[in-house]
Amino acid sequence: MTSLLIRGANILGKETGDIAIDHGRFVEPDSLTRPDEVIDATGLIALPGLVDLHTHLREPGREDAETVLTGSQSAARGGFTAVHAMANTAPVADTAGVIEQVYHLGREAGYTEVVPIGAVTVGQKGTQLAELGAMARSAAGVTIFSDDGLCVFDPLIMRRALEYVKTFGGIIAQHSQEPRLTEDAQMNEGVVSAELGLPGWPAVAEEAIIARDILLAEHVGSRLHICHLSTKGAVDLVRWGKSRGVQVTAEVTPHHLMLTDELVRSFDPVYKVNPPLRTQADVDAVRAGLADGTIDIVGTDHAPHPSEHKCCEWTAAAMGMVGMETALPIVVEAMTDYDFDWADIARVMSRTPAEISGLREQGSLEIGTGANLVLVDPNASERITPDAHATMGRNNPFAGIEVSSRIVHTILYGHRVVTDSQLSDPHPITRGGTWIA
């Protein structure tokens, strides 16, 4: 198939119209006289394919938790046509060689565009800069670097990293966690942690690093991205940084938009995550920050774990949650009380993350760009069932929640990789090939 006509879609929730695709690109509908395939999209919302700046695909080295293939399939079912794979693999993605392995695995999978993120420091140890330039010059063309899972805690190393990536327009994505303030921490520090007797994780441990890094980014004149922001104070700091003209962007996860530390009272390790679930006041603040543009994007921080790493006592359990297949409906539910429409969903889950990463073929429905889009049923009430998901991880904190929207079709460069909410054949791309059909 080389051409596709989508009829009667509600484009960005604003107007009904047709969308035409030929050879993997959006074209004018009138130019497509004899499409190879037609989709009746009556009642469906058309959005640019979703873009996730924060996922953990685990391969290489942790294939017991996830592979690039299963992670890509999970992404496609969630409406993502591009995902960024964090560097905390085994070995760490701190060289061009590992980066290119992940890059080619993504292309061979063919369900979403996999964009590797390079480590900031060698082995994520925080003591020596990794091969940033070599990774940027690799076939993957890395633009984002992060030690996510660990904080670049040394201010001098962080300054040098910001200076280095500035030379080629790169960005440092920081996991903001002051390590000394979070030693042995198990959950958010507050009333609940005190009552449960669990070591607390104070908000200031996140906020202190964010404040420091905003000042460093301002001093150097470089780009800084704040991963999985979770506290009211962090929102205030990002707002302050932007008011000063600092090149800072920030993301929030679906779980930090929806869940609070009250859930930890169950001692169910599915709710154990880094940064931890915070208070209702923090949830309200991050929702407001997303609504007013202080927080730029939603990133899932999709973090699958084998069942034995979650089916254990709280203190021994791994931190992390899966979330790509449920991200869009959860964000819709979380932002119900705000003036937040489908165009806003497209902005925070597609266009802006694509712009931050520099993905020119993603995040847009404009004529001539890569035909990456998702069709969503906004009135499809269903219950979240992790056992039915494509990811290997079952550690989804939203199990059993009723949501009101569902991904129906995901189209990757003109090829349907999800049809009627089920996986289709992958995009017919080969190693070294092109996504355009």
Side-chain angles (χ1 to χ4, degrees):
M1 182 199 66
T2 59
S3 62
L4 172 65
L5 180 63
I6 301 169
R7 284 188 174 148
N10 190 339
I11 302 172
L12 297 176
K14 294 187 177 296
E15 59 182 359
T16 300
D18 296 343
I19 299 172
I21 298 168
D22 192 25
H23 289 87
R25 293 194 177 277
F26 292 118
V27 297
E28 294 286 356
D30 292 344
S31 70
L32 203 60
T33 56
R34 294 184 178 180
D36 296 314
E37 186 178 0
V38 176
I39 295 177
D40 180 0
T42 303
L44 302 182
I45 306 293
L47 305 174
L50 307 184
V51 177
D52 195 345
L53 249 60
H54 194 150
T55 71
H56 299 271
L57 302 187
R58 303 305 190 197
E59 191 176 12
R62 291 297 311 280
E63 291 84 358
D64 59 328
E66 191 82 287
T67 67
V68 171
L69 174 59
T70 59
S72 295
Q73 291 173 330
S74 179
R77 288 197 57 179
F80 290 94
T81 55
V83 299
H84 293 66
M86 281 294 180
N88 59 338
T89 49
V92 172
D94 56 5
T95 66
V98 179
I99 285 292
E100 291 189 353
Q101 179 185 0
V102 175
Y103 173 73
H104 289 303
L105 284 169
R107 293 170 79 82
E108 289 172 349
Y111 281 97
T112 189
E113 189 167 355
V114 175
V115 183
I117 289 177
V120 178
T121 65
V122 175
Q124 294 184 291
K125 295 180 179 179
T127 58
Q128 178 184 349
L129 288 183
E131 299 176 4
L132 308 183
M135 289 186 279
R137 294 188 298 271
S138 70
V142 177
T143 59
I144 301 176
F145 300 86
S146 180
D147 276 0
D148 183 67
L150 297 169
C151 179
V152 182
F153 59 87
D154 186 319
L156 181 59
I157 293 290
M158 186 62 178
R159 173 183 175 170
R160 296 296 181 234
L162 288 165
E163 289 173 331
Y164 197 113
V165 300
K166 181 183 177 182
T167 63
F168 53 81
I171 185 167
I172 300 296
Q174 176 69 295
H175 174 113
S176 302
Q177 177 190 353
E178 211 297 318
R180 290 301 301 277
L181 291 175
T182 55
E183 289 180 1
D184 301 319
Q186 293 291 314
M187 65 169 296
N188 178 61
E189 181 179 282
V191 172
V192 179
S193 68
E195 292 180 1
L196 298 181
L198 289 174
W201 189 309
V204 70
E206 179 175 318
E207 296 158 8
I209 295 295
I210 291 174
R212 182 202 75 176
D213 288 349
I214 287 173
L215 292 172
L216 286 174
E218 180 179 45
H219 180 70
V220 173
S222 190
R223 299 172 66 199
L224 169 70
H225 180 71
I226 307 300
C227 295
H228 44 46
L229 178 154
S230 71
T231 75
K232 180 181 184 300
V235 178
D236 292 339
L237 285 166
V238 171
R239 188 178 290 117
W240 167 75
K242 289 186 173 186
S243 74
R244 294 170 65 94
V246 181
Q247 298 178 76
V248 58
T249 54
E251 76 189 22
V252 64
T253 69
H255 46 274
H256 287 115
L257 284 169
M258 195 77 163
L259 309 176
T260 75
D261 61 353
E262 289 290 335
L263 290 165
V264 181
R265 294 184 186 278
S266 69
F267 285 101
D268 185 342
V270 74
Y271 301 119
K272 189 175 181 180
V273 67
N274 180 350
L277 300 180
R278 303 290 189 179
T279 68
Q280 186 62 53
D282 294 309
V283 169
D284 293 342
V286 296
R287 287 179 178 177
L290 187 65
D292 69 20
T294 300
I295 300 173
D296 301 85
I297 66 169
V298 172
T300 67
D301 194 9
H302 175 82
H305 291 289
S307 59
E308 61 268 23
H309 292 179
K310 280 292 191 178
C311 296
C312 56
E313 64 273 21
W314 178 275
T315 55
M319 295 182 179
M321 302 170 170
V322 296
M324 285 192 288
E325 289 170 70
T326 53
L328 185 142
I330 289 299
V331 173
V332 171
E333 298 296 327
M335 301 305 290
T336 298
D337 293 336
Y338 293 84
D339 184 16
F340 205 81
D341 60 18
W342 287 104
D344 291 311
I345 294 287
R347 170 175 56 83
V348 302
M349 298 189 73
S350 182
R351 188 184 75 239
T352 303
E355 290 173 350
I356 290 171
S357 182
L359 299 181
R360 297 179 181 177
E361 302 290 355
Q362 298 279 354
S364 173
L365 297 176
E366 293 183 5
I367 302 301
T369 60
N372 299 300
L373 76 154
V374 59
L375 295 172
V376 182
D377 185 343
N379 299 300
S381 178
E382 64 179 9
R383 189 178 299 276
I384 292 175
T385 309
D387 285 345
H389 293 168
T391 176
M392 292 169 62
R394 294 293 176 260
N395 49 308
N396 190 312
F398 302 111
I401 290 178
E402 288 278 353
V403 291
S404 59
S405 53
R406 174 172 58 91
I407 305 299
V408 180
H409 303 293
T410 303
I411 297 170
L412 176 67
Y413 288 102
H415 180 86
R416 266 201 281 184
V417 291
V418 169
T419 301
D420 295 328
S421 303
Q422 300 301 316
L423 290 169
S424 306
D425 292 332
H427 191 290
I429 187 174
T430 58
R431 186 186 295 270
T434 172
W435 284 112
I436 306 303

